[in-house]
Amino acid sequence: MAAIPDQQSSHESYHEKGQTTVTLDERRRAALEEIDNAPFSWFHVKVCMVAGVGFFTDSYDIFAINIAATMLGYVYGHTSNQLSTNQSLGVKVATPVGNLVGQLLFGWLADVVGRKRMYGVELMVMIIATFGQALAGQAPAVSVIGVIIVWRFIMGVGIGGDYPLSAIISSEFAATRSRGRLMTAVFAAQGWGQFSSAIIGIIVVQAYKNEILNAPFPCIVPVDYTWRLLIGLGCVPGVVALYFRLTIPETPRFTMDIERNVAQATADITNVLSSKNHTTDDNIQVQRVAAPKATRADFATYFGQWKNMKVLIGTAYSWFALDIAFYGLGLNSSVILTAINFGSPTGNKTSSLYVYQNLYNICVGNLILSVAGLIPGYWVSFLFIDSWGRKPIQLMGFTLLTILFIIMGFAYDVLNASTAGKNAFVFLYCLTNFFQNFGPNTTTFVIPGEAFPTRYRSTGFGISAATGKLGAIISQVGFAQLINIGGTNKFVKHIMEIFALFMLTGIFSTLLIPETRQRTLEDISNENQEGYIKEPPTANRS
C-alpha cells in the first residue's frame, strides 16, 4: 500500500514538468510573435545603422582598389607604369579570397559562440588590415605589392565575417512585415560605400593636382600619397561603428534556440522593445530547455531532406552566378571604361597632365556608374522587396541581366565603333548595375538570412556567401587571364557573353528557393514549432 502514494506523487511530478514544458514552449512562441509583430522603433533604426556602416566600410574597402590599382601602377609599375596582370589580379582577388574564409569562419562561429560575441571582432580585423595597407612599404626581401596583397586578404577575412553577422542580426531583430526592407537598407549601404570611394578618389586627386602636374612623370611621390589616403580613410567609418557593435544586445532567437534560455530571451525582448538599455539580469532563473541542438548528425538530418537541401543549393548557386558578373564588372570597371576609350585622356601618355587626367577620369567614371546604376537599384529593391517579394525580383533581375549581357557581348564591336555606340554601351553597363541591385545582388543577401533555422542560420548564410565569393574569385582570375586574348582588351565582348550564360543559369537556381515575404523565420525554416521544446527543463541559478 505504501507504494501507491509514491506512484501518485511521481505521476503528479511528471504532470507538473509536462505543464512547465508546455508553458515554456508557449512562452517561446509568444516571445517570437512579439518580435515578429513589433512596431518599427528606434532600436530597429539603430540596428540598421550599426550594421549598415559595416557594409559601407566593406564596399568602400573592396572597390577602392579599383581606383587604387591604377595609382599603384604609376608608383610601382616600373617601366610600364601599370601593374602586371598578376599583380593587378593579386590585389583585386586577395579580398574575395579573404571574404570566402571569413564568411565560412564567422558564419559558423556566430552560430556556436553567439552573434554578439563575434560582432565587432570582424570590424577590428578590417580596421587593422586597412590601416596596415596604407602603411605598406617596400623592402629588399619583400615586395610592397605582396605586402598589400597579404593585408587585403586579412581585410577580406574581416569583411567576410561582416556578411553573416550583420545579415543575421538585422534579420533576427526585424519584424516580419518590414524584415526585407530592413535587411535591404543594411545592404544598400554598399552602394554608398562604392560611391564614397569614387568621391574620396576625386578629392585626393584634386588635393594633389598641383603636386602631380609639377612632378616629373610618372609622378611617383604625389600619386603614392593619393592611393595611401584613398585606402587608409576606409578605416574611419569602421572606427566610428566599433563601439556600437560591441554594445549591441544578443538576439533573443540565439538566446532562446541555441543557448536554450527562454527566460533570459523573454527579458531581452522586453528590454529591446521598450527601448531600455540592454541588461542581463543575474537574478533571472536560467532554464536550459531541451530543444533541437546543432550537431553534425542534426545538420546531416536537417539538410539531408531535399526540401531543405534545395534551399541551400538555390541560395548558394544563385549567389555564385551573380558574383561571377558583379565582381567581374565591379572590380574591373576602370578596365572596361578604358577598353572602350570612354573618358580616356588624350595627348602625351608620358606627361604629368596625362597622369592627372587619367586618375581623375577613372574616379569620375566610377562615380557615374555608382550614381547611374548601383545606388538606384538598391533603393528600388527597398521599395518593392516586402510587397512584390524576393523571388520575383531575383527572377526578373537574372532574366534582364541575361538579355543585357547578350546585347553588350554580341553587339560589342558595333557599339565600340562610334561615340554614340560607346555612350550606349555605358548606358547598358549602368543598366546591368541597376538590375544587379534591383535583382539578385540584393535578394541573394536577404534570402539566406531568412531561410534557415536559428541554429544554422548564420552557417547557412556563410556557406551561401562563400560560394558567391568563389564565383568572384573565378571571375577575377578568368577576367585577368582572358581579357587580352587576341590583343589588349580584345576579349571583353566574349567575357560579356560568358556573364550572360551564368545569368541564365541563375534563373534556374532561383526556382529552388522559397518565397520568404511576410513569413516568420520559424515558418520558413520548415520545422514544426509546436512542441519545439520537447522535454522538461532543468532549472538552476546563474
Side-chain angles (χ1 to χ4, degrees), residues 427-490:
F427 174 71
L428 291 170
Y429 191 99
C430 289
L431 277 183
T432 63
N433 282 334
F434 177 80
F435 284 110
Q436 280 175 333
N437 292 321
F438 180 38
N441 191 39
T442 298
T443 54
T444 53
F445 171 83
V446 172
I447 296 168
E450 304 173 309
F452 308 108
T454 301
R455 64 190 183 280
Y456 298 126
R457 188 166 293 126
S458 187
T459 302
F461 186 99
I463 292 170
S464 300
T467 308
K469 288 303 164 286
L470 180 62
I473 294 163
I474 291 171
S475 178
Q476 279 301 289
V477 174
F479 200 110
Q481 300 303 318
L482 296 174
I483 191 169
N484 293 324
I485 292 177
T488 303
N489 296 328
K490 294 294 184 182

Side-chain angles (χ1 to χ4, degrees), residues 2 115 205 442 461 512:
R115 284 75 158 128
V205 169
T442 298
F461 186 99
L512 296 174

Side-chain angles (χ1 to χ4, degrees), residues 6-7 24 56 109 117 153 158 171-173 195 223 312 328 374 382 391 428 443 468:
D6 289 343
Q7 288 176 354
L24 284 171
F56 176 94
L109 285 172
R117 288 179 183 171
F153 169 79
S171 169
E172 292 184 348
F173 274 124
F195 172 82
V223 174
L312 184 59
L374 286 168
F382 176 85
K391 196 169 180 177
L428 291 170
T443 54

Side-chain angles (χ1 to χ4, degrees), residues 111-405:
D111 277 342
V112 174
V113 178
R115 284 75 158 128
K116 174 180 171 55
R117 288 179 183 171
M118 298 311 300
Y119 211 36
V121 174
E122 86 294 350
L123 200 57
M124 293 181 205
V125 174
M126 287 162 54
I127 292 167
I128 292 168
T130 303
F131 195 66
Q133 280 176 75
L135 298 178
Q138 186 86 22
V142 181
S143 160
V144 66
I145 300 299
V147 174
I148 291 171
I149 289 171
V150 171
W151 278 122
R152 288 194 68 77
F153 169 79
I154 296 170
M155 182 188 76
V157 173
I159 291 173
D162 194 39
Y163 272 70
L165 285 163
S166 289
I168 301 311
I169 284 174
S170 56
S171 169
E172 292 184 348
F173 274 124
T176 301
R177 65 182 173 276
S178 59
R179 188 176 60 238
R181 278 170 290 167
L182 183 68
M183 295 181 72
T184 302
V186 169
F187 193 58
Q190 264 200 345
W192 294 111
Q194 195 162 347
F195 172 82
S196 297
S197 67
I199 287 285
I200 296 298
I202 290 172
I203 291 172
V204 295
V205 169
Q206 284 295 94
Y208 283 90
K209 177 180 179 179
N210 291 333
E211 286 83 349
I212 292 171
L213 293 176
N214 293 327
F217 180 85
C219 315
I220 291 174
V221 174
V223 174
D224 198 39
Y225 280 118
T226 61
W227 80 260
R228 292 180 188 276
L229 282 169
L230 174 63
I231 294 292
L233 287 170
C235 69
V236 173
V239 172
V240 172
L242 185 57
Y243 168 77
F244 298 100
R245 289 213 165 182
L246 294 173
T247 55
I248 203 164
E250 182 57 88
T251 71
R253 281 182 163 93
F254 180 87
T255 305
M256 220 171 342
D257 289 357
I258 299 179
E259 291 186 332
R260 295 171 293 139
N261 186 354
V262 176
Q264 180 63 55
T266 304
D268 291 348
I269 293 168
T270 303
N271 283 346
V272 166
L273 297 183
S274 63
S275 301
K276 295 178 182 177
N277 291 326
H278 174 77
T279 56
T280 300
D281 188 349
D282 293 334
N283 294 318
I284 292 177
Q285 193 175 49
V286 177
Q287 296 173 297
R288 303 294 183 192
V289 301
K293 190 175 181 180
T295 62
R296 289 184 182 179
D298 180 73
F299 184 91
T301 300
Y302 179 81
F303 286 104
Q305 301 175 65
W306 173 243
K307 66 178 181 179
N308 300 324
M309 176 56 76
K310 73 175 183 178
V311 176
L312 184 59
I313 293 171
T315 57
Y317 184 83
S318 295
W319 208 329
F320 173 85
L322 179 275
D323 273 7
I324 288 278
F326 185 74
Y327 280 87
L329 293 180
L331 291 177
N332 295 286
S333 55
S334 299
V335 175
I336 292 169
L337 291 173
T338 301
I340 62 170
N341 295 313
F342 183 79
S344 295
T346 55
N348 184 2
K349 291 190 176 184
T350 58
S351 69
S352 299
L353 177 62
Y354 185 91
V355 173
Y356 165 74
Q357 289 179 338
N358 190 30
L359 295 179
Y360 182 80
N361 288 351
I362 285 171
C363 295
V364 171
N366 280 277
L367 187 68
I368 291 169
L369 295 177
S370 296
V371 173
L374 286 168
I375 293 172
Y378 285 116
W379 292 104
V380 174
S381 284
F382 176 85
L383 293 175
F384 287 100
I385 197 159
D386 279 322
S387 55
W388 193 9
R390 287 66 153 155
K391 196 169 180 177
I393 290 174
Q394 186 162 311
L395 279 170
M396 177 272 299
F398 272 130
T399 301
L400 291 177
L401 286 169
T402 302
I403 295 167
L404 287 168
F405 280 122

